[in-house]
Amino acid sequence: MAGRRARSPLQRVQRRSRHLRDQVEALRAESAAASGGQRQALRQRCMQLQKLVDENMDALHNLKKADEPAPVGNYTQRKEEEEKLLLKLSQQLWKLGHVLDQDNAATNDTVKDGYQKDPQTVDEDKEEDESDDDDAESSEEEDSEETDDEDKLLDDPSVKECIAVGNFNAQQEGDLTFKKGEVLLIHDKKADGWWLAENSKGERGLVPKTYLAVHNEDGESQEESDEHIEVVDETADGTEIKKRTDSHWSAVRKAITENDTVEVLATMGAVPAGFRLSTLFQLLEEGNQFRASYFLQPELTPSQLAFKDLVWDSEKNTIQPRPTRVSLIVTLCSCKMIPLPAGSIQVLSRHVRLCLFDGNRVLSNIHTVRATWQPKNPQMWTFSPRVTGILPSLLDGDCFVRSNSPSSDIGFLFELGITYIRNSTGERGELSCGWAFQKLFTSDGMPVPSKMYELPLNGGTPYERGVEVDPSISRRAGSGVLQQLITLKKQPVLLVKLRSLSTQSKDILNLLPETLIGSMCYIHLLIFYRQILGDALLKDRINMQSADLICNPILATFPQLMDQPDLMDALRSAWADRERNLKRSEKRDPEFLKSLFVLVYHDSVFPLLQSTFLPSYKWAEEESEASRWRVIADFLRKSRENDGALQSLLSSENTHKAFDISELAYDFLGEMRKNNPVA
């Protein structure tokens, strides 16, 4: 009879981990029912198990794939899963030991003080101790409801000393390696979760906040820090340590750690495991600082006395063009092999959100392009479909891009997303189906070639690494070369094309703000707005130091069109109808075209913005979008028939929202980009 095959190094570590897990569970069960006299012995067992867990973690870190006697599939993934299990056990033991220490201290205090108390007081204290034991037991089984308060304690600038709750090895230059139990002095608590710390040897570097807890003078963690350890557990179970960022942390944290909805859908099999809450959608929802309407406004200089990106050219009697470091066109071509959601959720919109990104921060507005798809091939998304009439700007896959950021890591971040509704509950949500990043400059600072790029999609969020969109594809892959090639073809990809600009196109784009992404189909309308803005702020103002309101409905309302693409399409349509009948000489006269644009604006979208018949704009609601377009089309038709909007405005059949003069006046100081998020 053949001898039993020996276990591989990884299998031995896994076997020890399973034994340790069983022992930890047994210890937790015993401690819940233990009396005061038994807790000291349980504390000793807890320390012994903690030592064994640490030893097994060290053994795991020392393992290499080359040490395995036979090929092991998904070796890295198995090691990561094992590390997560050991980290979870370590955190459970940490909490349990802390609770046992508190109980021992409480018992000792009771013994010392009990001889000086009367019987009634002793009975009351006994009841309180029993209540405290119940609270301690329940705290081991239930998550704390005060996580926010505990996070605030750790984030308190006055708290300088922290203790490490786990081992951490530096990931890159500038990080600080530390061991569990080591006390660190925090010098700078950055918002991205990577803090500048100093160890006892005087060495400084960046450390992840999720590995830290508040440290007392006696060397033990405060009680309030226990639940923060649960945040570490959450991170360990969900993702790797995220690459540090300098902003947007609340949206990133929500997309990574507060994804109960995604976990439920993934467990049901409704979506692949690599889907997440949309990071870029969360940023859009937090305010207007990542919307095009924000970047369309001029930016003040540091002195607050002039405009940085809006300068007047007195010789040409117009605004000066502003060349930028990045000025090009990106075309969204198609998305292939995008995983399909299950029938339990209804997809309301398929789209791509894109922005400029440097690996840490979003450096521009977030632009959205809606995709189309065919029932015969639902896994392929396409853009810029052929339509009768003008192409809706929301479907236009040709996007202009401008930026003056000096970052060497700047590039495009593409996030594929769906807006969905659950059939069973009616719950709406926004999910990321994967993301891709394309740098715009090479390592030596040269622009990347203008060509077609096939970008593989990553799962998770842009701040996670090594997450697949659909891990089941890799799990089903065979070990043969042919099977690997077939699997590679099944991976989701995004096809985009980068195009350089002609001299004429560059001259046109140079009239736009220094940082902006938008659709190519409405560039001419943005330039009209910028020219009118230059006239009002630089040419017609008598006193350049005056901060008075400027009565100009176009300047006051045009940025709203950037967030309502159907109204932007209405203005495009009205302008195209009027431009079609112009003479050649009129088309060559900039001042005439500008005045005509003002007239067209007042005859088309301006009354619609104030109309009570136009429903509020709601993203990805088909009924609302159809209702809005019926109102818009009906108004434009009447405006054409009556040679203007005056008759419609004076008609008793039409009603408009009440407003005051401030809504029609441009408050340029209130609209300026004083706190630019990319600065």
Side-chain angles (χ1 to χ4, degrees), residues 61 89 97 112 121 154 190 227 459 464 480 518 521 535 537 555 615:
H61 289 163
L89 294 178
K112 291 178 182 178
T121 306
L154 187 65
K190 296 186 177 181
E227 291 304 323
E464 297 178 78
C521 64
D535 288 347
L537 295 179
L555 299 184

Side-chain angles (χ1 to χ4, degrees), residues 67-100:
D67 298 334
E68 297 295 318
V72 179
N74 299 328
Y75 182 82
T76 303
Q77 181 180 348
R78 293 186 182 185
K79 280 191 63 176
E80 290 174 354
E81 292 173 353
E82 207 61 29
E83 185 175 4
K84 292 173 185 177
L85 172 60
L86 291 172
L87 184 58
K88 185 174 182 179
L89 294 178
S90 178
Q91 291 155 3
Q92 290 174 346
L93 290 170
W94 178 279
K95 287 185 61 180
L96 181 58
H98 193 68
V99 171
L100 292 173

Side-chain angles (χ1 to χ4, degrees), residues 131-151:
S131 175
D132 290 342
D133 289 341
D134 293 339
D135 292 341
E137 293 168 10
S138 63
S139 68
E140 295 175 20
E141 300 172 355
E142 300 177 358
D143 292 334
S144 171
E145 297 178 356
E146 301 178 355
T147 302
D148 292 339
D149 294 337
E150 292 147 4
D151 283 345

Side-chain angles (χ1 to χ4, degrees), residues 170-225:
Q171 298 178 343
Q172 62 185 50
E173 185 178 356
D175 293 350
L176 179 64
T177 298
F178 56 82
K179 298 293 184 182
K180 180 179 177 180
E182 190 172 346
V183 178
L184 301 174
L185 180 63
I186 307 301
H187 291 283
D188 185 11
K189 297 186 176 182
K190 296 186 177 181
D192 63 358
W194 286 83
W195 293 356
L196 180 62
E198 180 179 352
N199 61 18
S200 58
K201 300 177 182 178
E203 299 170 339
R204 291 194 179 192
L206 295 173
V207 300
K209 164 189 169 182
T210 50
Y211 272 58
L212 304 177
V214 179
H215 180 252
N216 277 340
E217 292 181 0
D218 58 1
E220 294 180 356
S221 298
Q222 296 182 7
E223 181 180 357
E224 291 81 60
S225 68

Side-chain angles (χ1 to χ4, degrees), residues 351-639:
H351 48 266
V352 173
R353 301 191 193 277
L354 64 147
C355 62
L356 293 173
F357 188 65
D358 66 355
N360 292 332
R361 302 172 300 161
V362 173
L363 303 176
S364 70
N365 62 296
I366 299 171
H367 182 65
T368 304
V369 181
R370 183 172 289 174
T372 56
W373 59 283
Q374 299 297 327
K376 294 182 180 179
N377 189 9
Q379 289 186 295
M380 173 175 280
W381 300 2
T382 57
F383 307 91
S384 302
R386 294 181 180 179
V387 297
T388 304
I390 65 172
L391 174 67
S393 56
L394 189 59
L395 303 179
D396 187 11
D398 290 332
C399 309
F400 68 85
V401 181
R402 280 174 57 81
S403 175
N404 230 4
S405 171
S407 173
S408 59
D409 298 322
I410 189 172
F412 284 117
L413 173 62
F414 302 94
E415 185 186 69
L416 278 67
I418 59 171
T419 305
Y420 72 92
I421 183 170
R422 291 183 65 181
N423 296 330
S424 58
T425 62
E427 175 191 5
R428 284 174 58 99
E430 182 99 7
L431 295 179
S432 166
C433 307
W435 60 274
F437 181 72
Q438 173 59 48
K439 290 190 67 172
L440 292 178
F441 294 92
T442 62
S443 57
D444 55 0
M446 298 298 294
V448 297
S450 298
K451 64 176 185 178
M452 183 78 74
Y453 291 87
E454 185 174 285
L455 307 176
L457 294 183
N458 304 282
T461 73
Y463 298 94
E464 297 178 78
R465 296 294 181 268
V467 180
E468 297 182 66
V469 175
D470 188 358
S472 63
I473 297 177
S474 298
R475 287 198 295 267
R476 292 194 298 265
S479 57
V481 177
L482 181 59
Q483 288 85 351
Q484 294 291 341
L485 290 175
I486 295 175
T487 302
L488 187 61
K489 290 186 177 181
K490 292 181 180 179
Q491 297 295 336
V493 295
L494 169 66
L495 271 70
V496 299
K497 185 176 183 180
L498 301 186
R499 294 189 290 160
S500 57
L501 296 172
S502 63
T503 303
Q504 182 180 3
S505 299
K506 278 187 179 180
D507 292 341
I508 295 175
L509 284 181
N510 286 344
L511 297 174
L512 296 177
E514 288 188 353
T515 302
L516 190 65
I517 300 179
S519 173
M520 288 290 294
C521 64
Y522 53 64
I523 284 182
H524 55 299
L525 305 181
L526 300 182
I527 291 175
F528 279 135
Y529 170 77
R530 291 279 291 179
Q531 290 174 335
I532 295 171
L533 188 65
D535 288 347
L537 295 179
L538 305 175
K539 177 184 176 184
D540 299 334
R541 267 202 307 162
I542 299 176
N543 182 5
M544 298 304 293
Q545 306 303 320
S546 172
D548 294 340
L549 298 180
I550 299 174
C551 185
N552 192 313
I554 294 181
L555 299 184
T557 59
F558 184 88
Q560 299 177 33
L561 306 188
M562 303 296 290
D563 300 324
Q564 302 182 56
D566 52 0
L567 284 182
M568 182 66 81
D569 294 335
L571 181 58
R572 290 172 54 211
S573 177
W575 175 255
D577 290 341
R578 190 64 64 92
E579 188 182 33
R580 196 175 296 118
N581 300 320
L582 293 180
K583 301 176 182 178
R584 288 185 179 179
S585 58
E586 292 173 334
K587 291 182 179 181
R588 297 191 185 113
D589 188 346
E591 292 300 319
F592 175 80
L593 291 176
K594 193 164 39 178
S595 61
L596 182 63
F597 173 78
V598 173
L599 181 61
V600 170
Y601 188 89
H602 284 280
D603 282 341
S604 56
V605 294
F606 181 66
L608 285 169
L609 284 169
Q610 311 298 333
S611 174
T612 58
F613 294 109
L614 186 68
S616 300
Y617 182 78
K618 297 179 181 178
W619 169 256
E621 285 197 7
E622 185 176 354
E623 184 176 345
S624 174
E625 291 177 354
S627 177
R628 281 175 61 92
W629 187 248
R630 283 195 296 269
V631 173
I632 292 172
D634 183 63
F635 182 83
L636 293 180
R637 178 181 57 80
K638 291 180 179 179
S639 182

Side-chain angles (χ1 to χ4, degrees), residues 29 63 239 251 258 267 278 285 293 305-306 345 437 444 512 588 607 644:
L63 291 182
T239 68
E258 299 180 12
T267 303
S278 170
E285 289 293 292
S293 55
L305 298 176
I345 66 174
F437 181 72
D444 55 0
L512 296 177
R588 297 191 185 113

